[in-house]
Structures are given as C-alpha cells and as structure tokens.
Amino acid sequence: IMGGRHKDPEYHKKWWEKNKHNYGTTRPHSDPDYQKKYYKENKEKVISRQKLKRDNDTPYRLFRSVTASARKRGLECDITKEDIVVPDLCPILKVPMEQFTEFAPSVDRIENSLGYVKGNIQVISRKANSMKYNASWEELDKFADWVKNYTPINIEELRQEW
C-alpha cells in the first residue's frame, strides 16, 4: 500500500520472513517484532523525540503536511524538504512568522493547477494564504483597489442621518 502501513499485522510477519535475508542480522531495527518491542519499552522517549522533531523543524513539518495534502487531493508533488525555505517575515503581509498563530508559516501554491512542484511554492503566513485561498488574481486585485480607496464610515454620523 502506498504511503502507509498495511493494516494486517500478519502481512508484516510474512513479509519479514520472506525478505529478512536482504537485511542481514546486524540490523535488528529492521525486524518488525524488534520495533514493536522497542516502542513498548520506550514509548515516552519515542513520542517526545517525534514531538521535538515536529515542533522544532518547521520545514520538515511543512513538508509532511504538503505531501499528505498532495496525496489526499491527488496533486503532483515533487518537492523535497530542502525546497521549503521559511523566511523570517511573511513576504505578503510583512509580519514576523510565528508558530501556532495566524502568522504561522504555510506552503502556498503560486499556480494552484500545478500542484506542489519545484518553482511553484512559496512560504507565506497562514493568514495570507487563507486570504488568497479561493480568490482569483482578478478578484484579489479588485479587493486591493477597494482597500486602497476605502474611507472608514463613521457609524455615529450614519445614525444621526437616519
């Protein structure tokens, strides 16, 4: 099965018996039984190591998210972790990128029809990405023009006119 483990545990045992000669005896971590035993004995250590890697390695976390999203949506994805460069400031909103906020780094497809391919991604804030999520370039341009010419309405003056 692509992208994940087979659901049937017996499948793994049969596979290991058939293929273990390819791995030699010096690699016990390749043995599924060894992996299960190690995980049971070191569960907290394994989970904390995974959590530390996930929380401290933003490009890795974004890469995992992107590949899962591409698989789920049936999009092409040929990028690597090294292709994901996280700037200090959001290139669109010019605010600092900050984890676990609306300004957290987010991978954006420049041309949505192309998928996550080299040259078609940029890292912007989650807020900027959600702002352009469903809008076309023309709609975003019209919105920008409206914002530039917008004059705030004084609610109190409106109420007095009514």
Side-chain angles (χ1 to χ4, degrees):
I1 290 185
M2 274 183 34
R5 291 178 56 95
H6 198 279
K7 302 281 187 229
D8 181 14
E10 288 302 313
Y11 170 86
H12 294 288
K13 288 180 183 173
K14 290 175 188 172
W15 180 91
W16 176 250
E17 287 306 315
K18 183 175 152 188
N19 295 288
K20 68 181 173 183
H21 66 279
N22 294 330
Y23 293 91
T25 57
T26 59
R27 297 180 61 190
H29 59 276
S30 299
D31 180 355
D33 293 329
Y34 173 84
Q35 292 173 354
K36 288 176 190 174
K37 181 181 176 194
Y38 181 85
Y39 183 80
K40 282 181 184 176
E41 293 172 356
N42 301 286
K43 186 174 183 175
E44 290 177 21
K45 181 178 169 182
V46 170
I47 290 172
S48 69
R49 195 172 21 206
Q50 290 169 342
K51 186 176 184 330
L52 185 65
K53 181 173 176 80
R54 182 187 68 233
D55 291 348
N56 290 335
D57 190 353
T58 302
Y60 172 77
R61 192 168 29 78
L62 290 172
F63 174 71
R64 294 286 305 260
S65 173
V66 161
T67 54
S69 176
R71 230 183 357 260
K72 182 179 176 183
R73 298 176 185 183
L75 297 173
E76 184 180 356
C77 182
D78 71 357
I79 62 170
T80 64
K81 176 186 159 189
E82 289 71 31
D83 295 322
I84 298 176
V85 179
V86 181
D88 293 331
L89 294 177
C90 171
I92 296 173
L93 300 178
K94 309 296 187 224
V95 295
M97 298 276 211
E98 190 176 332
Q99 291 292 355
F100 313 112
T101 69
E102 62 186 344
F103 301 110
S106 171
V107 177
D108 172 51
R109 290 174 285 141
I110 297 166
E111 178 57 49
N112 285 336
S113 62
L114 295 179
Y116 296 99
V117 295
K118 293 180 189 311
N120 190 46
I121 62 163
Q122 62 183 344
V123 178
I124 61 177
S125 69
R126 184 182 299 146
K127 185 168 191 167
N129 207 353
S130 66
M131 288 167 69
K132 69 177 276 287
Y133 173 65
N134 259 343
S136 68
W137 289 113
E138 293 81 23
E139 291 168 331
L140 288 170
D141 199 32
K142 287 178 186 177
F143 181 76
D145 287 342
W146 175 80
V147 169
K148 287 176 194 171
N149 299 318
Y150 177 73
T151 36
I153 299 170
N154 186 331
I155 300 296
E156 292 305 317
E157 286 179 18
L158 280 178
R159 285 186 181 148
Q160 289 174 1
E161 289 177 18
W162 289 344

